[in-house]
Amino acid sequence: MSNTAWTVTLEEDPITGDLILPLSDEILEGTNLSIGDTIEWEDLGDGSWAFKKADKSEDKEWVMVDALVSYRMRYMVEVPKGKAEWALDTVTMQEAKEFSQEYLGEQIFSHRVVTKEEALEICDKDNEYCKSWTSDHKVDTFFTRDGEKVKL
């Protein structure tokens, strides 16, 4: 938080009568604020106020969602006449070539709130190849932030 002080005069919206606090580019830069940020206010008790950018992460939590993805798989297996059940063994033993597949959907079977640290531990376990990545890189790659839309 900056220790710089500014004096700003409130303005009144001529249509609604709402009070507006005009923040100059200098104030926005000096306080690390951007348009759309939420501000937390503190009454200093002497007629002045202090403000800082609200930490939005306090209003958020991470949820681990477990789901099963289903596909209909087809295999074409040649077997001796009268021995159709042998084809089942070939598929079960993973010795058959895939003929086709169709995505049938995703079924969510559980969810739970986890801390970011717990999620990063699970990330390392489930994705061993990225253990050396920074936490920020893992979050950017594998976590979906509130409001983020993933393009499929």
Side-chain angles (χ1 to χ4, degrees):
M1 183 171 151
S2 174
N3 291 328
T4 305
W6 294 275
T7 301
V8 179
T9 303
L10 294 174
E11 298 174 2
E12 186 175 339
D13 183 306
I15 298 171
T16 65
D18 290 340
L19 293 178
I20 299 169
L21 177 66
L23 299 177
S24 67
D25 289 342
E26 177 191 357
I27 294 173
L28 292 175
E29 255 182 57
T31 57
N32 195 28
L33 288 171
S34 300
I35 293 172
D37 286 342
T38 301
I39 298 172
E40 292 179 356
W41 292 94
E42 179 185 357
D43 183 353
L44 299 178
D46 61 0
S48 64
W49 291 75
F51 69 87
K52 67 179 182 177
K53 184 175 181 175
D55 182 2
K56 294 181 181 179
S57 66
E58 293 176 6
D59 297 336
K60 310 283 182 183
E61 61 188 4
W62 290 105
V63 179
M64 176 74 59
V65 179
D66 292 310
L68 290 175
V69 177
S70 299
Y71 290 86
R72 188 265 305 130
M73 307 294 290
R74 283 196 174 140
Y75 306 89
M76 190 61 60
V77 181
E78 183 180 41
V79 297
K81 277 192 177 191
K83 303 292 184 182
E85 67 278 357
W86 286 12
L88 306 179
D89 292 337
T90 302
V91 171
T92 301
M93 298 299 294
Q94 298 179 350
E95 296 172 349
K97 296 176 190 171
E98 182 182 313
F99 180 79
S100 66
Q101 63 177 264
E102 178 184 355
Y103 174 74
L104 299 177
E106 189 171 52
Q107 297 80 39
I108 296 172
F109 64 89
S110 73
H111 73 283
R112 63 193 178 282
V113 173
V114 296
T115 65
K116 182 177 177 183
E117 291 72 26
E118 289 172 315
L120 288 166
E121 285 179 29
I122 295 167
C123 182
D124 285 346
K125 180 181 169 209
D126 289 358
N127 305 287
E128 286 192 20
Y129 63 91
C130 71
K131 280 187 175 183
S132 64
W133 294 6
T134 66
S135 294
D136 287 342
H137 187 71
K138 292 173 193 175
V139 170
D140 290 342
T141 303
F142 299 115
F143 293 39
T144 305
R145 289 185 175 88
D146 184 28
E148 181 180 4
K149 302 296 181 206
V150 177
K151 294 180 183 177
L152 301 176

